[in-house]
Amino acid sequence: MANSWRWLILFIGLASALPAAWAEAYLPADAGQVIETLPARGSHWLELRTLRQQVAAAPQALPPVLQLVRRYIELGRAEADPRYFGYAEAALQPWLLRPAADPEVLTLQATLLQNRHDFAPALALLERALAVRPRLAQAWLTRAAILEVQGDYAAAAGSCLPLAKTAAALVGAVCINSVLSLAGQSETAYRQLQQALEHASGAAATDRQWALVTLAEIAERRGDVAAAERHYRQALSAAEADGYLLAAYADFLLDRQRYAEVVDLLADRSRADPFLLRLALAERHLPQRDSNAHTEALQARFAALRLRGDNRHQADEARFRLQLCNEAEAAFALAQANWMIQREPRDARILLEAALAAGKPRTELQPVLDFLAANGMQDSRLQPLIARFGEEGV
């Protein structure tokens, strides 16, 4: 709870420092302007209807509910559509209110809280789940993911270890090597994960995709562009690409100034905010494309998120303020608030970039510089930024 309150205080303090216009509803000047296009009934509609009918037919049975909620979460991640997470939460609610909630119910609710970046209550639910069922692999995996995002690498690694006995071998290998790669052992982690993948020919396609994305990210941080691209392409062909993979590969392309490829990758996915941001970032470099409509749409969406108190996309909003609006101070405030919640390399990068653009002194960046140095994080994209603050890099 203490962390939750600290984040709330930070959010209130930040909101009061931002331009008043951000709190105003967006009203398009043209009544015919399309702000959002809702999807037609998706290909998953029939499958979901069947799952919902199974839940309705046996209201006291937990397995159909778990199956429905897991599918909602999978679709929410694959399509970057937050509505599925809302459906999942609604389906779980009656089971959470029971005196002794099932550990799998607690773990799925923790996953939904993780998606909202409510990390402290998510971890508390996982502790409850593991106290009842210590071999629940999904609970350990979710716990490791949250702790890694928070930059607590020792605790994250500790949560990966039980997976060696409770999950598929490749799942445990991805978990531990992802953590090691961020804690100063990227070369070892890359080699170990490659070997694990070579010995996992029977692994599920989604697990192989997860391993390949992790390899791509490690290679990218190490500055091995060719290997990173190879792994990203392998991941894209391994299974249906989820939102995380598409956003990560789009960022890879943006860094290489391959803007037309970003448009090809994301042109039909502008409904999700992270994709729309990357589309707009690419379009501003393409004379034949007009990025104004997407930039205005982003302005409206971020304003709507702020009205709802949703701070999940502060890092993306910081990129939007810095790279599309040239608002360095606002970008720095957002990136700084985001850093208090999550500490992945991309979070450090936007914070350093915003600080440099806003002319902030090294003293204001000392906490992030100290964190990167203490963990020996190796990232070729961060090193030139760190050097500009007079540090030697990591």
Side-chain angles (χ1 to χ4, degrees):
M1 284 298 294
N3 282 342
S4 298
W5 279 107
R6 179 161 60 87
W7 298 343
L8 179 61
I9 291 167
L10 279 169
F11 174 73
I12 293 171
L14 175 62
S16 64
L18 294 172
W22 288 20
E24 297 174 358
Y26 174 70
L27 296 175
D30 179 359
Q33 180 180 347
V34 177
I35 297 176
E36 179 65 82
T37 301
L38 295 177
R41 180 176 287 179
S43 59
H44 306 292
W45 176 80
L46 187 59
E47 175 195 3
L48 290 175
R49 187 182 70 167
T50 302
L51 291 173
R52 284 193 290 261
Q53 287 173 338
Q54 291 171 352
V55 170
Q60 298 304 314
L62 180 57
V65 175
L66 297 177
Q67 188 178 1
L68 176 62
V69 170
R70 290 193 187 103
R71 191 65 183 128
Y72 278 143
I73 292 174
E74 288 171 358
L75 290 171
R77 287 173 171 168
E79 300 181 12
D81 188 337
R83 290 178 300 171
Y84 286 113
F85 298 116
Y87 302 151
E89 196 148 0
L92 274 184
Q93 196 59 32
W95 296 87
L96 283 167
L97 296 176
R98 298 193 171 197
D102 185 274
E104 292 195 59
V105 170
L106 295 173
T107 300
L108 287 171
Q109 179 64 15
T111 302
L112 293 168
L113 291 172
Q114 174 200 18
N115 183 65
R116 295 206 305 253
H117 294 187
D118 289 336
F119 295 142
L123 288 172
L125 288 179
L126 293 170
E127 293 299 326
R128 285 175 56 192
L130 289 167
V132 177
R133 197 174 299 171
R135 294 178 62 84
L136 186 54
Q138 186 60 52
W140 285 115
L141 188 60
T142 306
R143 187 174 188 272
I146 293 172
L147 293 168
E148 180 184 299
V149 167
Q150 291 183 314
D152 189 346
Y153 300 133
S159 291
C160 292
L161 294 180
L163 295 174
K165 295 182 178 178
T166 58
L170 186 58
V171 171
V174 176
C175 185
I176 190 66
N177 287 299
S178 176
V179 175
L180 291 177
S181 74
L182 295 169
Q185 300 183 56
S186 65
E187 183 176 349
T188 300
Y190 183 79
R191 185 180 65 254
Q192 290 181 163
L193 186 51
Q194 267 198 316
Q195 292 171 348
L197 186 58
E198 289 168 2
H199 291 89
S201 57
T206 50
D207 290 346
R208 292 183 60 80
Q209 185 182 63
W210 181 31
L212 288 163
V213 175
T214 305
L215 282 171
E217 292 185 312
I218 297 172
E220 195 175 359
R221 290 197 295 272
R222 297 175 66 208
D224 190 342
V225 175
E229 173 138 33
R230 183 174 68 254
H231 294 313
Y232 276 128
R233 289 187 174 278
Q234 290 171 330
L236 287 166
S237 62
E240 183 180 1
D242 64 13
Y244 183 89
L245 168 57
L246 290 170
Y249 186 50
D251 284 341
F252 173 85
L253 295 173
L254 284 170
D255 280 342
R256 290 187 166 102
Q257 302 179 11
R258 292 160 56 178
Y259 306 118
E261 292 177 66
V262 176
V263 173
D264 289 343
L265 184 71
L266 302 178
D268 296 330
R269 300 174 180 269
S270 61
R271 196 159 48 84
D273 299 346
F275 298 156
L276 186 61
L277 170 66
R278 286 154 178 85
L279 262 179
L281 289 171
E283 287 171 337
R284 67 178 177 148
H285 295 284
L286 298 172
Q288 69 275 29
R289 305 277 305 188
D290 179 7
S291 66
N292 290 335
H294 284 162
T295 301
E296 289 177 9
L298 281 166
Q299 186 86 272
R301 292 188 192 184
F302 284 129
L305 287 172
R306 191 158 293 283
L307 283 173
R308 295 201 300 268
D310 185 339
N311 63 356
R312 284 176 300 161
H313 301 297
Q314 288 183 116
D316 275 349
E317 188 174 358
R319 287 181 71 179
F320 172 70
R321 293 293 157 198
L322 181 65
Q323 298 173 13
L324 286 172
C325 303
N326 295 317
E327 297 173 1
E329 283 290 345
F332 179 69
L334 286 160
Q336 209 172 26
N338 175 66
W339 182 254
M340 298 302 294
I341 299 172
Q342 51 184 16
R343 300 184 171 186
E344 294 186 280
R346 65 174 61 85
D347 303 308
R349 180 179 175 179
I350 184 57
L351 179 53
L352 293 171
E353 289 175 340
L356 286 167
K360 299 297 180 183
R362 189 176 65 181
T363 51
E364 292 203 37
L365 270 296
Q366 204 57 54
V368 63
L369 296 173
D370 289 346
F371 172 85
L372 296 173
N375 289 289
M377 187 179 288
Q378 299 156 315
D379 192 324
S380 61
R381 299 162 301 185
L382 295 181
Q383 287 170 350
L385 299 172
I386 294 169
R388 292 175 65 181
F389 284 100
E391 299 278 336
E392 294 182 356
V394 291

